[in-house]
Amino acid sequence: MWSLLQTNLLLFILLYSCFFSSVASSLFPSSCQLQRQFHLNGMHKSGDVILGGLFQVHFFSSVGKKQKPNKETVGESLLISILYLELSYSVVFFFVSFYELGFRQAQTMAFAIDEINRNSNLLPNVTLGYTLYDNCVTLGIGFRAALSLASGQEEKIILDNRCTGNLPVIGIVGDSSSTHSIAISNVLGLYRVPMVSYFATCSCLTDRQKYPSFFRTIPSDAFQVRAMIQILKHFGWTWAGLLVSDDDYGLHAARSLQSELSLSGEGCLAYFEILPWDKDMDELRRIVNVMKKSSARVVIVFLQYHITDFWMASEAWTEATVLQTPQLMPYLGGTLGIAIRHGEIPGLREFLLQIRPDLHHNNSYGNSALCTGEEDLDNVDTEFLDISNLRPEYNVYKAVYALAYSLDDMLRCEPGRGPFRGHSCATLQTLEPWQLVYYLEMVNFTTPFGDQVSFDENGDVVPIYDVMNWMWLPDGSIKVQTVGEVKSSAFKGEELILDEDKIFWNFESKKPPRSVCSESCPPGTHMVRKKGEPKCCFDCIPCSEGKTTNKSNSLECTSCPEDFWSNRQRDHCVPKKTEFLSYHDPLGICLTATSLLGTFICAVVLGIFFYHRRTPIIRANNSELSFQLLLSLKLCFLCSLLFIGRPRLWTCQLRHAAFGISFVLCVSCILVKTMVVLAVFKASKPGGGASLKWFGAMQQRGTVLFLTAIQAAICTTWLVSSSPTPHKNTQYHNDKIIYECAVGSTVAFAVLLGYIGVLAFLSFLIAFLVRNLPDSFNEAKLITFSMLIFCAVWVAFVPVYISSPGNYADAVEVFAILASSFGLLITLFGPKCYIILLRPELNTKKAIMARRNGSQKIFHIQ
């Protein structure tokens, strides 16, 4: 591809030899000569300063097919424009049609200049003129018109201090087409000729490196796309189709839309189709089938076609009256689109009524033969005179005023305080185009309609769009009504304002449609994207246990804090249920009642024994140790209550210590009783009386105290070195906290149990050895049986305790305490209570003596 410089040199050779005087003087020493005279439709009005304008007044159509330039890239548009200058003459058999709205736009510029000239506060002592050309909706003609405006139409210019003849324009209003504007700005931008378009929306024109002198009074496609996304977001439409025209406007808009959707994450495209220019019916049928098969209920269009769904239209066809017909309303009714901001231009209708063909007799508009100029149009209802919905015209009006205010600001510059080199100011005699561009970048004014006009760093106007709705009235007529606006400001950003009550929806429900690939994931679920499909297509997967999300369409679930768990809906965390062996649980109630029952029975037995303490059966069975044993059993029953209830530090520390000491006290008493029985048996034999001196009352008490003190020392060491503490156990249940007492030291706990086991085993062993004593010493049999039960309970306790989860371990330990305590109570004191209460005749010295084998002496220990 030719470089930009080579391309421009070719333009100079083909088109003209004088563009500006500085360039001409470098090529020709004394004059510059036009190489070709362009014959263009247009209007001209002289003035001190001339503004140029490019408008679509006529358009061509042929019998065969529409003549339109092929698709081109921005870089190639310059070369294609050159070729069009040469080749467009070969096109024949054209019909020329008149576009009255384009003519009205041109007249709006003429009206604005006339209004400015009458305004004494704006450009005083300066008369604006204009040269307006018809581009005939053709790139080649539009390009020729722009070059003619920039260089003038004088065939020969004599070069002295300044060119003679008509002044070239200082700025151009136009062109309307994005494609035309791209091609023209590629050239005019090199010389900083200001160009203010009223209809070119391609976002590519914001590139100040390529188009440094391009401005526009219509928002770019970038804002148009963002405005559409605002509407999509407002109604929750995340799944839409996209149709675009095969030109710069459509393709750039499509790229911008895809980019914005990707960045915002507000939606996805179900399909993207480019509408062919050549009316290929097979291709059109394919596109329609794609649309019908799609689940998308919203179609975004940067041109037109039909389908039985909802439409979102760009500004290019929201106002297209050719589509507003009863035949198309079943398909296009309810269309929600954005349109150029409408405005009011007071006095424009009166100006239009004053137009006469004879005022422009030297111009080729092709209508002088159709009217005389004497017709009264005031009462004629025509689209040309309908100024109730001025949109492109309003942009033309703002463009003219932008150039006028810029020129006014430039002429008000005070010498020595100017913005240019040496603080100089520009003048009409020395004006260079880039100087006006400087002031155009700074312009800021308010229209009579109340809209602020200024340009940002990209040459874009402060953006605002009207939101339009195609309404199908009951009488079959069609009304396009304004239902809101989308605007942007420095303080609020982009803002969508809608009056939803006014919107007509072309559905039986009269409500907005739903258009989503996948329904929103409710709280408690997260999105998992479907493989091979757009990100808007996903499955909703419930959060796993312990994780929640309280938002819709969450990408992931969040783990709950340590002491919390997910609720059933997985939409928020709740405190974990805390479990322990409670006094309010059925199991806790049963164990508590059993413990208190055992304590009560011990108290009753103790009372019975105390009341009958002088009877032979009490005195014959070592009454003091019996009382100590009953007291220790009572403590065993009571210590089980420390294992029930919410674990606290003091209960955790006390429960095992109380349990260990109480049971050692109990077993110690039994061991001493067993040893006393053995000693009495030995003393009953000849020569065995000396054995009793080691088992007097003091020795018995001392032995019990010594054995109990060892257990107390074990418990004290345990509490000091590694004390049991309350512990929140989540090992067994993720959704529950088992509140238990951690033993602290497993070794200490094992030593405590082992010591009790050793004493119990010794008691069992001694009792087992003396189990066959005479009937008067048959308590050894009871001790043997009681120790057998005691050992069996605690041997079974160990594996069950280890394998029991959470609070059940406490229940197992309480059960073992109660079972072993009841076993001792019943086996040791049950038979005695039976004799005392039910067989008192056996509780006599005579009865006891009768049970001996004649000569054996009864010994009793006081």
Side-chain angles (χ1 to χ4, degrees), residues 620-861:
N621 288 283
N622 200 333
S623 59
E624 182 176 345
L625 284 177
S626 296
F627 285 126
Q628 291 180 2
L629 181 57
L630 284 170
L631 289 173
S632 64
L633 282 174
K634 191 173 184 179
L635 292 176
C636 289
F637 280 115
L638 290 175
C639 79
S640 64
L641 297 178
L642 295 174
F643 291 85
I644 305 173
R646 187 179 184 87
R648 292 179 172 81
L649 180 61
W650 69 272
T651 59
C652 290
Q653 292 175 336
L654 189 59
R655 60 167 59 172
H656 288 105
F659 154 70
I661 293 173
S662 298
F663 267 86
V664 165
L665 179 61
C666 177
V667 176
S668 297
C669 291
I670 294 174
L671 178 61
V672 171
K673 278 177 74 77
T674 306
M675 295 173 66
V676 169
V677 170
L678 181 60
V680 170
F681 173 69
K682 290 184 176 180
S684 64
K685 295 182 179 180
S691 60
L692 285 177
K693 67 179 181 178
W694 299 103
F695 290 97
M698 290 299 296
Q699 287 82 358
Q700 295 175 32
R701 298 188 194 105
T703 302
V704 171
L705 182 62
F706 174 75
L707 294 176
T708 305
I710 294 175
Q711 184 73 307
I714 294 173
C715 293
T716 302
T717 304
W718 182 7
L719 294 177
V720 171
S721 61
S722 183
S723 174
T725 56
H727 172 63
K728 294 179 179 179
N729 190 338
T730 58
Q731 178 182 356
Y732 303 108
H733 303 282
N734 290 327
D735 58 340
K736 297 179 183 178
I737 297 177
I738 305 300
Y739 212 24
E740 60 184 10
C741 288
V743 295
S745 174
T746 306
V747 174
F749 186 42
V751 171
L752 180 145
L753 292 178
Y755 182 63
I756 297 174
V758 169
L759 295 181
F761 179 75
L762 289 175
S763 299
F764 171 75
L765 182 62
I766 296 173
F768 180 77
L769 294 175
V770 297
R771 69 188 184 282
N772 293 322
L773 292 178
D775 289 343
S776 56
F777 303 103
N778 61 2
E779 193 174 26
K781 293 182 179 181
L782 300 178
I783 293 174
T784 302
F785 187 61
S786 66
M787 286 296 99
L788 183 62
I789 295 175
F790 184 88
C791 292
V793 169
W794 286 103
V795 168
F797 160 78
V798 174
V800 176
Y801 179 83
I802 293 174
S803 61
S804 297
N807 56 341
Y808 291 106
D810 292 335
V812 169
E813 190 166 358
V814 172
F815 180 81
I817 292 172
L818 296 178
S820 57
S821 298
F822 272 110
L824 295 176
L825 178 64
I826 293 172
T827 55
L828 293 178
F829 296 98
K832 297 181 181 63
C833 290
Y834 173 76
I835 292 174
I836 292 171
L837 297 176
L838 300 178
R839 299 293 297 274
E841 68 275 10
L842 298 179
N843 190 14
T844 61
K845 186 176 181 180
K846 181 178 179 181
I848 294 175
M849 291 294 294
R851 297 177 62 187
R852 297 178 59 204
N853 293 326
S855 61
Q856 289 187 353
K857 182 180 179 181
I858 298 177
F859 293 90
H860 60 277
I861 307 300

Side-chain angles (χ1 to χ4, degrees), residues 252-324:
H252 279 286
R255 282 194 291 270
S256 180
L257 179 66
Q258 290 174 312
S259 177
E260 289 292 336
L261 285 176
S262 177
L263 290 175
S264 66
E266 298 294 343
C268 305
L269 294 180
Y271 52 86
F272 168 35
E273 297 293 342
I274 301 174
L275 297 175
W277 278 110
D278 55 2
K279 298 182 181 179
D280 184 344
M281 295 308 298
D282 292 336
E283 177 65 10
L284 293 177
R285 289 191 187 95
R286 185 194 65 80
I287 293 174
V288 170
N289 288 332
V290 169
M291 299 171 70
K292 288 182 177 179
K293 292 178 181 178
S294 174
S295 59
R297 301 289 294 167
V298 171
V299 182
I300 303 172
V301 185
F302 286 89
L303 203 62
Q304 82 217 5
Y305 209 66
H306 82 82
I307 195 69
T308 55
D309 275 326
F310 180 77
W311 295 83
M312 277 186 62
S314 67
E315 46 76 27
W317 66 290
T318 297
E319 289 290 307
T321 56
V322 69
L323 299 176
Q324 299 168 17

Side-chain angles (χ1 to χ4, degrees), residues 65-82:
K65 61 179 182 179
K66 183 175 181 180
Q67 301 295 319
K68 187 182 187 303
N70 295 326
K71 177 178 65 177
E72 74 274 7
T73 63
V74 174
E76 295 169 337
S77 61
L78 194 62
L79 179 58
I80 293 176
S81 301
I82 299 168

Side-chain angles (χ1 to χ4, degrees), residues 172-175 194-198 213 215-217 399 402-403 440 455:
I172 298 176
V173 175
D175 198 329
M195 181 175 176
V196 185
S197 176
Y198 53 90
S213 60
F215 300 84
R216 52 184 158 193
T217 54
L403 287 169
L440 198 57
F455 301 104

Side-chain angles (χ1 to χ4, degrees), residues 44-52 113 117 123 125-131 167-171 403-404 407 410-411 427-429 431 436:
H44 177 76
K45 180 179 180 180
S46 61
D48 299 327
V49 178
I50 305 298
L51 299 182
I113 290 177
N117 288 334
L123 290 176
N125 303 320
V126 175
T127 301
L128 289 181
Y130 57 78
T131 297
L167 290 175
V169 298
I170 65 168
L403 287 169
L407 185 61
M410 184 191 74
L411 297 179
T427 65
L428 288 180
Q429 292 73 26
L431 175 63
L436 186 61

